[in-house]
Amino acid sequence: MAGVETKGEILSYLDKVTREIDPPKTESFTTTAVASACHVSRNLASQYLNELVREGPAIKVGSRPVLFLHRRDLERYLQAKLEKNEYSSMSELLMLAGRRASRDFEQAIGSDLSLGQCVEQLKSAMQYPPHGIPVLLVGDHGTGKEYLSRLTFEYGKNAGILSKNASYISVDASRHSNAGASLERLIFGEGKIPGSVGNSHGGVVYIRRFDHLDPVSRDAILQRIRECESGAQEQGRTARFILGTSRDIDSDAVKAIARSIPIVIRLPRLSERTMEERTLLVMDFLKKEGQRAASDAAISRGALRALVASEFEDNVDGLRACITNCCANSYLNRKDDRLVIQTYNLPPDIISSLQTRVDDDQLIPGGTEDAFDSHRRVTGLFQQIVDAFHSFEDEKLSFDEFFSSAVATLKAYEDYLDFDDQNADERSASYEQVIGPIVDEVNESYGLDLTRKTARLLSHLVASQLWAGTPLTSWRLHNRVAFKSLCAELSRRYLVASSAVSQIDSKVRLALGAEMDDLVRAMLLLEICHVLSSGTKRREALGVVMCHGYSTATSIAEAANRMLHVRVFEAIDMTYEQQFSDVATPLAHLLERFSFCESMVILVDMGSLEQVLDVIPRSISSDVYVITNVSTGLALEVGSILASKECLSDNLPKVLEAASPSYRVARLSKTGEKILFCSEAGVGAAEKIRRLIQDSLPESLPVSFTTCDYNELVRDGNQSLAIEGQNVRAIVGTMNPNVTSVPFVALEDLLSQGYSDKLDAALAKYLDRSGISAFHSALLKNLTLRNVVESITILNPEMLYVEADNAIQRLSQLSGKKIDSRRRLGLYVHLCGLIERLVTNNFVDSFLGEDEFARSNPEFIAWFRAAFSEMCRRYRVEIPVSEIAYVHKMLEADGASGEVYRSNQVSFEDE
């Protein structure tokens, strides 16, 4: 019972600290921190934490040190669902949760759209030698002037343009509008006072509301800025300047400033930003409110559409404030732990201008802004068609070359809709129910062979056209001329296709009340032109695939048709809930349409064969075969017979035999015993761990030490080639691949304890107790030497280690206290480095509370000097009390403080 209470206490601790998460500060999530907070041993804390990970309430991140977080709170913070219990690193967790690590300007929504030119100008100003070029940012209140100035500073640091100790300093000129001289002294300093420029250490000084200064003060400061730009300012007092103003770019004040500032950048108002940007801004602010309230955030589609379409006096800041107010209202009146913005939460002036739509009450989760990335993939495919058409217009491609390229891209888009589109919605599916019969009708009228895949393509295109909130809208507008020209070219060359598209367009307009735009018409023209150019002939055989699952039948039919290089199969998709009776009528219509075929085969995934036979129209005179357990392999076997016009009844036994399931068992011979090494950081990191262990063994053992691929172990588990049929004693690595049949030895345990019981058990068959002890000592030495070699540049690291080891053992004897492996490892590295710092006269010359330490610990100081006397004599140095106090702090630190010197431990990441 006590164990259950302790585990509950640990989970409560994770709940508390995860709710207060601050990404750069992760020390609260380590095993050591949990053990200290819950007053349990580190081993017991580790056991319970890993149990919580396996059971689901906790998430494990295999960083160094390993981190444990509360799953539900972390999901609320990220506003994303986490699919796994363990992640190799925090970057992997953030990436899979849709939170990519963005650098400087990438953090700004619209940096590649309406802010693209602004960003390029800011980059140019930052890079320009020798000290950059001053910039004037002109934009209404709330357009993001100060935000972009901070990102410019980050860009300078990331690009290596600014020094590591450079700083960003913001100054408000409006506070000195009547005292320009004081502002000048504040910015540029005077005498020994460095001012903002000096304090920035060559960084960025942003002066907001610069236009508030009187002309005389303004000109004086601009003159000093020009001196900084040219390098005329005294050494150490240069910086890059960004000025901000909210006045109109055509105002006299801005024109006067612009005469002295080479680069003037106007930031767009919120209403001038693209629909995609405004949508992403809303979703980003909503996510942040969800994080702040530690709640799942969502917004109704109607509220989202209203916010995206609204104008705000303070632009982006106004939008942010509006969303915060809406969330506060929702939080106050919520019925559960969710934070939901409904239309009624919006300000009255926004509600009054809203025109309602059918799907306005549908909720969009707050963490779905990255779903818009799929639209970039779609526009990328369409852009390929546009680019190829421009090449045709420029006579760089023949029409046949363009047409072949465009059709290939169109097929890639169709494959994307079938296999990769995660944003398919009910609206597209409902459109398909309407458009499918229209396509069938046009097939009958023009003798075409368009399939349900064409209906699905058209449904998605029409849906994306009608929903104005998709990022595809702005792209369509930008490329409308190209698609209009493409439609004209295809219509001129394919008159039948043009007529068919016109008929489809008129019927879609009649059914849905929407006229297809030029992009939809162009894609439909390409599809029909491709069917016509492939030389459609009267079919002599028909295959039908009927399957449950979203587009499963379509996928099997299309795969078989492509591999057979001839159209044999049509598809009827069924949802998981549908019964055969629900699709009986469409099947009967399909068979009726192809009643002239001499051979017919229906492939189904399950169900009663009699039900299928009952719906076959009497007008069909040929035999109809119905075969169950459809698969792509079965479709290929049947399709090849239909395509070659062979007799199906004669070949049916052969088909069933070829398509029947078979199996083989790989029985691998038992080989010698192995210990595997793996790392999520790569094979190179695993090889370092292998060398560390193997080099620490006191003798050669009849065991194979082998590196293997971490991802393969995670994916295949016990069936991995490195495991199955092999006599693997243990897996050693940085993160557990969860292979259930083999014990895992965590590198973290080796680093913190200097040994592992599981690894000892794997070696116990070959090493006796003294051999295991020798292995522990050698492992500790090798771990330490790796760190010492990295930090010592002048002295002999091996000799230093031996002398430090003797001194530490002597200190342990004199003090009567055992120094555990974890502290000893940190002390070795610290003390070896200390001797070199003393030799080079670069040591800690003061320690907070040094006098108090000397009065309270005279015995320890005497023990320390005695233990290290030989070492000090050899290198002719004297260890000051400040350094002795620091070592005492390391020895007396509890488990939570162990992290202080763990950062010195050896790194096993790929070089």
Side-chain angles (χ1 to χ4, degrees), residues 153 157 162-170 196-206 239-240:
F153 168 71
K157 296 267 284 193
L162 304 179
S163 63
K164 292 183 178 179
N165 63 338
S167 299
Y168 172 92
I169 296 179
S170 176
S196 299
V197 171
N199 290 329
S200 75
H201 302 291
V204 170
V205 175
Y206 173 66
R240 283 165 167 80

Side-chain angles (χ1 to χ4, degrees), residues 546 572 579-592 615 617:
M546 296 180 61
I572 296 179
Q579 304 297 320
F580 175 77
S581 58
D582 297 326
V583 294
T585 301
L587 175 61
H589 288 166
L590 182 63
L591 296 177
E592 183 73 44
V615 303

Side-chain angles (χ1 to χ4, degrees), residues 478-643:
H478 182 71
N479 291 277
R480 61 185 183 276
V481 175
F483 281 111
K484 183 178 281 298
S485 300
L486 175 55
C487 288
E489 183 66 30
L490 292 173
S491 298
R492 183 178 66 81
R493 291 174 178 265
Y494 296 89
L495 297 178
V496 173
S498 177
S499 177
V501 169
S502 296
Q503 182 173 336
I504 292 175
D505 188 12
S506 64
K507 291 183 177 297
V508 168
R509 185 168 60 251
L510 184 65
L512 298 177
E515 185 175 355
M516 300 187 306
D517 68 6
D518 287 320
L519 186 149
V520 180
R521 290 177 60 84
M523 296 302 106
L524 189 56
L525 273 168
L526 279 172
E527 178 82 357
I528 297 177
C529 292
H530 172 61
V531 171
L532 292 172
S533 62
S534 61
T536 305
K537 299 178 181 178
R538 183 181 178 88
R539 286 164 61 166
E540 297 182 7
L542 170 68
V544 180
V545 179
M546 296 180 61
C547 281
H548 290 83
Y550 181 75
S551 77
T552 304
T554 298
S555 298
I556 292 176
E558 288 297 324
N561 290 338
R562 285 195 188 186
M563 286 185 271
L564 292 169
H565 302 292
V566 63
R567 180 154 215 92
V568 174
F569 290 102
E570 303 297 324
I572 296 179
D573 292 306
M574 303 170 62
T575 65
Y576 293 109
E577 298 79 16
Q578 279 185 311
Q579 304 297 320
F580 175 77
S581 58
D582 297 326
V583 294
T585 301
L587 175 61
H589 288 166
L590 182 63
L591 296 177
E592 183 73 44
R593 177 182 157 201
F594 289 94
S595 59
F596 53 83
C597 291
E598 297 177 4
S599 302
M600 287 188 177
V601 179
I602 303 174
L603 306 180
V604 298
D605 57 348
M606 63 183 79
S608 170
L609 301 183
E610 288 74 17
Q611 283 184 294
V612 179
L613 295 173
D614 288 344
V615 303
I616 296 175
R618 297 181 179 274
S619 58
I620 296 177
S621 57
S622 61
D623 292 337
V624 179
Y625 294 83
V626 183
I627 306 175
T628 59
N629 298 326
V630 62
S631 65
T632 304
L634 177 62
L636 280 172
E637 292 292 338
V638 172
S640 63
I641 294 173
L642 295 178

